[in-house]
Amino acid sequence: MQPRIFHLHALSALHCGVGQAADVVDLPIARARATHLPIVPGSSLRGVLRAQMEGDPQREPDVPALFGPREIGGAADAFAGALAVGDAHLLLLPVRSLAGIVCYATSPFILRRYRQDLVRAGQAAPPLPNEPREGQARVVPDSVNRQDGVLFLEDLDLPAQEDAALRAWAAWIGQAVHPTDADAQTDLVTRFALLPDDIMKYLAETATEIRTRIAIDPATGTVKRGALWYEENLPAESVLWGVQALSRSNRQGDDRDAGALAACLPDEELLQLGGKAGVGRGLVRLLRREVSA
């Protein structure tokens, strides 16, 4: 298998849900069981990729080799697709900031996992930065979010220490998410912050978007009885990463290797992920470019 890192950049609020819940939020987003951090299930992403390729006449012939057959009519159709897509994990969470409007937050735990996947995929990732002290944060020296030595995020005020070593990671992620936009890369770098793991977990649970929805009764023009619910979304500008892997084609008569099949997948494409597409949710950029060290 040939592993490769991919990134998701949310252009609008993203709702990849898990059905209904008994909590205050009726429609929560998907989260990893152990960490409770937001994820986009690999099955959701793989299904959207397949549908996108099937809708393109030029790419449709490659669908069976990558994703497997739609139906198995005989022995020739009994083969597995060559593309495996893992879950996408939260990398950067945009958080409301008193200074600079928004801050892109991550944590040591998240960066460690991200770096491990980068190394497994053969990329020379930067060294891990020093961890922030308890109840504090680390920011790049020219941070637009740091005011009088403090980072004000949501209802938190965190003493923020400048750390030039963070710039390497901020620049790396900026290049991965905005490979052709130098201004966007600079903007991400100046809003990058490393938070303690416990604070990041708290924000990942409390700083997501909760939107109130209603349904209108067409006969009366008023809200249907009982048609009030709350939906959770990852905010726009969230960044996630995951791992995809390719093997040789398993399709009879198709001897393409992983490298040849990788050429069927563009470096960047626009997708609609998750539910609520009709109200503008789930517009994301999928990026597969490798970042040069």
Side-chain angles (χ1 to χ4, degrees):
M1 299 288 280
Q2 184 183 86
R4 190 175 182 183
I5 299 295
F6 67 84
H7 297 83
L8 294 177
H9 174 216
L11 301 180
S12 66
L14 175 60
H15 178 87
C16 286
V18 292
Q20 293 185 330
D23 205 346
V24 175
V25 178
D26 301 290
L27 298 175
I29 58 175
R31 294 177 179 272
R33 175 70 175 178
T35 65
H36 211 239
L37 293 173
I39 62 170
V40 171
S43 56
S44 297
L45 181 55
R46 195 174 189 271
V48 168
L49 286 172
R50 177 171 193 142
Q52 180 121 326
M53 288 188 67
E54 287 178 335
D56 184 341
Q58 293 185 334
R59 301 173 68 192
E60 195 276 335
D62 296 315
V63 168
L66 288 167
F67 299 96
R70 273 288 182 190
E71 298 179 357
I72 299 178
D77 297 327
F79 62 91
L83 177 65
V85 182
D87 294 342
H89 304 275
L90 181 66
L91 179 57
L92 296 182
L93 178 69
V95 181
R96 182 179 56 174
S97 174
L98 180 65
I101 301 178
V102 67
C103 173
Y104 299 122
T106 190
S107 77
F109 173 78
I110 291 174
L111 280 187
R112 277 196 302 272
R113 296 180 70 198
Y114 179 51
R115 189 178 191 278
Q116 288 169 356
D117 283 343
L118 288 170
V119 171
R120 292 188 188 106
Q123 296 196 42
L128 290 171
N130 293 324
E131 296 191 12
R133 295 178 180 176
E134 183 178 355
Q136 299 187 15
R138 286 180 176 269
V139 296
V140 295
D142 52 349
S143 171
V144 299
N145 303 122
R146 186 171 181 261
Q147 184 176 33
D148 299 327
V150 180
L151 198 62
F152 297 96
L153 302 179
E154 294 287 343
D155 58 346
L156 303 174
D157 52 309
L158 307 171
Q161 180 181 358
E162 292 183 346
D163 186 352
L166 279 184
R167 185 176 296 279
W169 273 108
W172 177 284
I173 297 171
Q175 188 178 346
V177 178
H178 305 290
T180 61
D181 190 337
D183 290 339
Q185 292 179 26
T186 300
D187 183 72
L188 189 150
V189 169
T190 58
R191 300 177 191 278
F192 188 84
L194 185 68
L195 308 181
D197 291 327
D198 57 345
I199 293 178
M200 184 65 189
K201 183 175 184 294
Y202 168 76
L203 289 172
E205 293 176 348
T206 62
T208 54
E209 286 189 17
I210 307 296
R211 298 196 181 186
T212 306
R213 297 286 308 281
I214 60 172
I216 300 296
D217 186 336
T220 64
T222 59
V223 179
K224 288 183 180 179
R225 185 176 181 83
L228 168 68
W229 69 96
Y230 297 92
E231 295 174 356
E232 184 182 23
N233 302 272
L234 267 178
E237 299 301 324
S238 296
V239 177
L240 303 95
W241 96 92
V243 180
Q244 68 174 40
L246 275 168
S247 66
R248 296 187 63 88
S249 173
N250 297 306
R251 190 181 190 186
Q252 186 174 339
D254 187 346
D255 60 355
R256 285 178 293 178
D257 61 14
L261 289 175
C264 303
L265 301 171
D267 287 338
E268 180 176 339
E269 53 188 319
L270 192 64
L271 303 174
Q272 193 284 318
L273 270 177
K276 321 304 173 188
V279 288
R281 310 283 195 275
L283 192 63
V284 302
R285 295 165 59 230
L286 171 64
L287 304 113
R288 301 188 182 91
R289 290 183 178 89
E290 290 192 0
V291 178
S292 56

